[in-house]
């Protein structure tokens, strides 16, 4: 999670490698690390002439290597290569210029390749792993990691939150680093004083749709039709009816998957990998799956499919059909 700290320390110590590969699901952290790196070069040359941003799809390896080998008259050079296709099939000999360059890179150039995902078995990955640096930027996973990230962001803005407010903020705002960072900026701007309170979060931060869907499922598990319909109406004010149905269907499928894992004797620690979701969401799904039976969840999934058909064939107003489905859920 703290790959950005490695970048920050490398800048301070002037130890950023000549060849780097940065990848991962958390684009916000990658962009934050890139900005730190750019700022360090802008401090040497405010004109920005030593910074070049290239597309890996439109700029060939030979051209990138040629640019990397060019001497900058104003100090070091930073080359950022975005959207690299080098882990796809069919690259072959086209990447040979890189392999030769990695053996003897220009010490005055910092070359950073950016990718969303990688193939560790590819020659390109192994070549950088051997001669350069590879960082994977991921989101916080466990609750303590989210709390540590939030503490750091609050400190950077000169603000504090009590533990219960931090939990509310993360739940209320959704576990997306970029979106949460923007909401913290807003809170820091509008909240007077140092402490951010519960009422500040509820009044200034929009509740994430996914968080509301979880609250809807809590109401269903408690057999509270009135509260479930209220939560549904809240979600419908934020998203189109078909999107809401898709979200509900996804949650039911995940609950079925978690229920099946429980019946097979598997543990909660396997849920993120087997269900294909982030650990924090997996923890909530795992806990909620214990409240509903396999028969209830199977029935709920059939209701989702039937409601989808009914909406798309015009058998009623979408909002009414969704409300009817949710009420049935509470009676199952």
């Amino acid at each position: 999670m703290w790959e950005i700290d490695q970048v920050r320390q490398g800048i301070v110590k002037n130890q950023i490698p000549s060849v780097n590969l940065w990848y991962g699901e958390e684009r916000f952290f990658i962009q934050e690390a890139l900005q730190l790196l750019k700022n360090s070069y802008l401090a040497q040359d405010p004109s920005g002439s030593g910074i070049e941003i290239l597309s890996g799809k439109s700029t060939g390896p030979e051209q990138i290597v040629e640019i990397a080998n060019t001497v900058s008259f104003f100090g070091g050079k930073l080359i950022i290569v975005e959207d690299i296709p080098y882990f796809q099939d069919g690259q072959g000999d086209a990447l040979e210029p890189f392999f030769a360059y990695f053996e003897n890179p220009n010490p005055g150039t910092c070359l950073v390749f950016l990718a969303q995902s990688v193939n560790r078995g590819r020659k390109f990955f192994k070549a950088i792993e051997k001669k350069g640096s590879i960082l994977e930027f991921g989101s916080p996973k466990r609750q303590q990691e989210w709390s540590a990230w939030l503490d750091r962001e609050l400190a950077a803005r000169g603000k504090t939150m009590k533990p219960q407010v931090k939990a509310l903020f993360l739940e209320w705002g959704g576990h997306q680093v970029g979106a949460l960072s923007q909401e913290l900026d807003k809170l820091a701007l509008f909240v007077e004083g140092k402490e951010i309170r519960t009422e500040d979060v509820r009044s200034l931060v929009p509740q994430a749709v996914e968080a509301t869907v979880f609250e809807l499922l809590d109401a269903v598990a408690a057999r509270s039709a009135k509260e479930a319909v209220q939560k549904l109406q809240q979600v419908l004010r934020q998203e189109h009816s078909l999107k809401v149905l898709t979200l509900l269907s996804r949650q039911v499928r995940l609950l079925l998957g978690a229920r099946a894992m429980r019946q097979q004797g598997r543990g909660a620690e396997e849920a993120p990998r087997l269900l294909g979701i982030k650990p924090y969401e997996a923890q909530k799904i795992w806990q909620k799956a214990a409240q509903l039976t396999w028969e209830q969840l199977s029935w709920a999934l059939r209701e989702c499919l039937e409601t989808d058909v009914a909406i798309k064939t015009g058998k009623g107003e979408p909002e009414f059909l969704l409300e009817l489905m949710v009420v049935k859920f509470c009676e199952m």
Side-chain angles (χ1 to χ4, degrees), residues 26-289:
E26 193 44 76
R27 300 295 296 177
F28 178 82
F29 284 149
I30 291 178
Q31 292 303 318
E32 192 174 7
L34 279 176
Q35 192 57 55
L36 288 174
L37 199 52
K38 289 177 184 177
N39 290 343
S40 70
Y41 279 83
L42 288 171
Q44 302 173 40
D45 176 16
S47 71
S49 61
I51 301 174
E52 292 195 52
I53 301 176
L54 307 173
S55 168
K57 293 181 179 179
S58 59
T59 310
E62 286 187 359
Q63 186 178 355
I64 293 172
V65 168
E66 182 179 351
I67 295 171
N69 277 320
T70 303
V71 177
S72 173
F73 295 102
F74 299 97
K77 176 181 287 189
L78 171 62
I79 300 176
I80 300 167
V81 186
E82 302 177 319
D83 302 321
I84 62 171
Y86 310 142
F87 295 105
Q88 299 174 3
D89 292 333
Q91 293 295 310
D93 296 337
L95 301 182
E96 287 300 326
F98 283 141
F99 304 141
Y101 178 80
F102 295 164
E103 291 294 330
N104 186 30
N106 181 355
T109 294
C110 177
L111 182 58
V112 181
F113 296 99
L114 303 182
Q116 185 167 355
S117 60
V118 301
N119 184 332
R120 293 172 177 270
R122 297 286 186 183
K123 186 177 179 181
F124 183 79
F125 185 94
K126 292 181 177 179
I128 296 182
E129 187 177 38
K130 181 179 179 180
K131 297 294 183 178
S133 169
I134 297 178
L135 293 179
E136 179 181 4
F137 292 78
S139 298
K141 294 178 173 59
R142 293 176 291 275
Q143 181 62 31
Q144 55 266 37
E145 291 180 349
W146 278 106
S147 183
W149 172 80
L150 182 53
D151 284 340
R152 207 170 65 160
E153 294 298 307
L154 286 167
R157 293 166 175 81
K159 297 291 183 179
T160 63
M161 286 182 184
K162 292 180 178 177
Q164 63 269 29
V165 181
K166 289 194 291 185
L168 170 66
F169 174 72
L170 292 170
E171 189 73 26
W172 190 271
H175 290 71
Q176 298 292 330
V177 173
L180 288 175
S181 181
Q182 291 179 348
E183 295 304 326
L184 284 174
D185 288 340
K186 184 167 62 178
L187 286 166
L189 181 63
F190 288 102
V191 173
E192 296 182 1
K194 188 173 183 179
E195 183 180 351
I196 297 173
R197 297 177 171 83
T198 298
E199 54 268 28
D200 299 321
V201 173
R202 291 187 181 277
S203 61
L204 292 173
V205 179
Q207 187 174 19
V209 172
E210 291 78 5
T212 313
V213 169
F214 268 116
E215 291 183 351
L216 190 162
L217 291 173
D218 284 337
V220 168
R223 306 296 191 271
S224 176
K226 180 179 179 181
E227 185 179 354
V229 170
Q230 288 175 344
K231 292 299 178 182
L232 173 64
Q233 291 171 345
Q234 184 178 338
V235 178
L236 286 169
R237 287 194 291 270
Q238 298 174 264
E239 295 287 356
H240 187 274
S241 55
L242 284 175
K243 174 67 178 296
V244 174
L245 180 57
T246 299
L247 289 170
L248 286 170
S249 300
R250 174 181 180 271
Q251 294 300 315
V252 172
R253 287 190 176 93
L254 289 173
L255 288 166
L256 274 167
R259 191 72 203 181
M261 288 179 59
R262 283 179 172 274
Q263 292 178 348
Q264 294 168 4
R266 293 182 177 274
E269 69 281 356
E270 298 181 87
R273 177 178 60 85
L274 295 177
L275 298 179
I277 55 179
K278 294 182 179 179
Y280 190 84
E281 183 182 11
Q283 180 183 0
K284 298 190 68 175
I285 289 290
W286 185 262
Q287 294 171 348
K288 203 171 297 297

